[in-house]
Amino acid sequence: MKLSTSAQVIFALASAQFVAAQAPVWGKSLKRGPNGLSGAQAFFIQDNVADKTGPACLPGNNGGTTTTTTTTTTTTTTPPGECTTCTTTTTTSSTTTTTTPGGGPSSCPTPATVSGYNNAKLPNPFLFNDGTPVKTAADWECRRKQIAALIQGYEAGTLPPKPSSVTATFSKSGNTGSLKVTVSNGGSSVSWTNSITYPSGTAPAGGWPLVIAYDGGSIPIPSGIATLNFGTNTIAEQTNTGSRGKGLFYTLYGSNHSASAMTAWVWGVS
C-alpha cells in the first residue's frame, strides 16, 4: 500500500535533509523491509519522532566538559651548616580530563542491528544503543545517526553513498518548468525528468519556494508556492511483491539492492 498523498508530500520535504545528514525522517507507515518485518513490528520509528536537532530541542549544550588541573610543587634544599647557597627546585604538572557529552559513548558506533536486543514495547529513542541516556544536543547528533543506521538495517534497506556523478538540465516556459536529472555510478547511468508548476505573477527576489510532491500530490498548495512532481514509480515501483527491484534506482544499483522503495525515493529527491 502506498503512503497517503499528504504523507508523501511531507516525506518528500523531509527526505532531502535526511540524505544530507544520513539520518532519516520517516512517515507513519514504513513498508516491508529486507528482513520481512513491517511497520511498528520492525522498529519504533513512526511520525512521533522527527528530525529535531539543536539546543531548542534538547537540554544542554553542544560540547562536553574539559577540566584542567595544574599542580605546582616547590622544594627547598639546605646544605649542612650555615646556608650560604640554597637550591630551590620547582616542579609543575598538569592533568587534563575530558568528559564525553552527556556521558554518552566516546565514539559514535552506528551498527545496522543490535545483537541480542529484545523489547516488546516501543523503545526510548533518547537512549543510546548501550542504554546511556541522551542529555545534550551533541549526544543527539550521535543518537540520530544510530537511529538512521537501525532503520536501514531492520526496515528500509541501505541508502547508498553519494553517486560518482549527478548532473541536471533545466528549462522553463511560462508557468511550467522541466528538470532533467542524470545520475552515473559504477559505469551505469539513469535519467528522469521532473515537471515543475509555477505560480502566476512575479517571482520573489529569492525565487519561488518549492514543494516536492510525490506523484503530484492532492493536498491544497498555498498560493505563491511552486510544485515539483516527483514520480515515485519511475525511481522504484511499489505495487506488490512482484514490483520489488524495479525502477531506475535498481537499474543503477542492481535489482537485488537492499534498499526499499521508500529509501530509493529518498535517494531520488536528494
Side-chain angles (χ1 to χ4, degrees), residues 12-269:
L13 290 171
S15 56
Q17 181 177 3
F18 155 62
V19 174
Q22 291 295 309
V25 181
W26 298 100
K28 185 173 182 179
S29 177
L30 295 177
K31 304 304 178 184
R32 186 168 298 277
N35 65 348
L37 298 178
S38 63
Q41 295 173 345
F43 204 67
F44 68 86
I45 292 300
Q46 295 187 25
D47 60 348
N48 60 328
V49 179
D51 178 19
K52 298 178 180 179
T53 60
C57 302
L58 290 175
N61 51 43
N62 289 324
T65 301
T66 301
T67 303
T68 302
T69 302
T70 301
T71 303
T72 302
T73 302
T74 302
T75 303
T76 302
T77 59
T78 304
E82 184 178 355
C83 179
T84 56
T85 303
C86 295
T87 302
T88 301
T89 303
T90 302
T91 303
T92 302
S93 62
S94 178
T95 302
T96 301
T97 303
T98 302
T99 60
T100 305
S106 56
S107 60
C108 189
T110 54
T113 59
V114 179
S115 178
Y117 185 82
N118 185 16
N119 187 348
K121 300 180 180 180
L122 294 179
N124 183 350
F126 300 108
L127 292 179
F128 287 104
N129 290 344
D130 63 2
T132 305
V134 173
K135 294 182 178 179
T136 69
D139 282 356
W140 178 241
E141 285 299 314
C142 172
R143 180 55 184 156
R144 69 198 294 263
K145 293 177 183 177
Q146 289 188 343
I147 293 173
L150 292 172
I151 291 176
Q152 293 177 69
Y154 282 110
E155 176 71 14
T158 304
L159 181 72
K162 182 180 178 180
S164 56
S165 173
V166 178
T167 59
T169 58
F170 174 76
S171 61
K172 184 175 184 291
S173 177
N175 292 337
T176 303
S178 179
L179 178 66
K180 181 180 180 180
V181 180
T182 300
V183 181
S184 301
N185 194 72
S188 299
S189 295
V190 295
S191 297
W192 69 93
T193 301
N194 307 282
S195 62
I196 303 174
T197 302
Y198 292 90
S200 299
T202 303
W208 296 110
L210 176 72
V211 170
I212 300 175
Y214 280 18
D215 299 320
S218 62
I219 65 173
I221 303 297
S223 60
I225 305 293
T227 303
L228 182 147
N229 178 25
F230 179 78
T232 58
N233 277 343
T234 300
I235 303 300
E237 294 185 22
Q238 187 175 252
T239 305
N240 50 44
T241 55
S243 64
R244 179 73 173 92
K246 295 181 180 180
L248 293 180
F249 175 90
Y250 301 103
T251 300
L252 191 65
Y253 291 104
S255 60
N256 292 325
H257 196 282
S258 68
S260 66
M262 185 176 288
T263 299
W265 300 343
V266 171
W267 172 88
V269 298

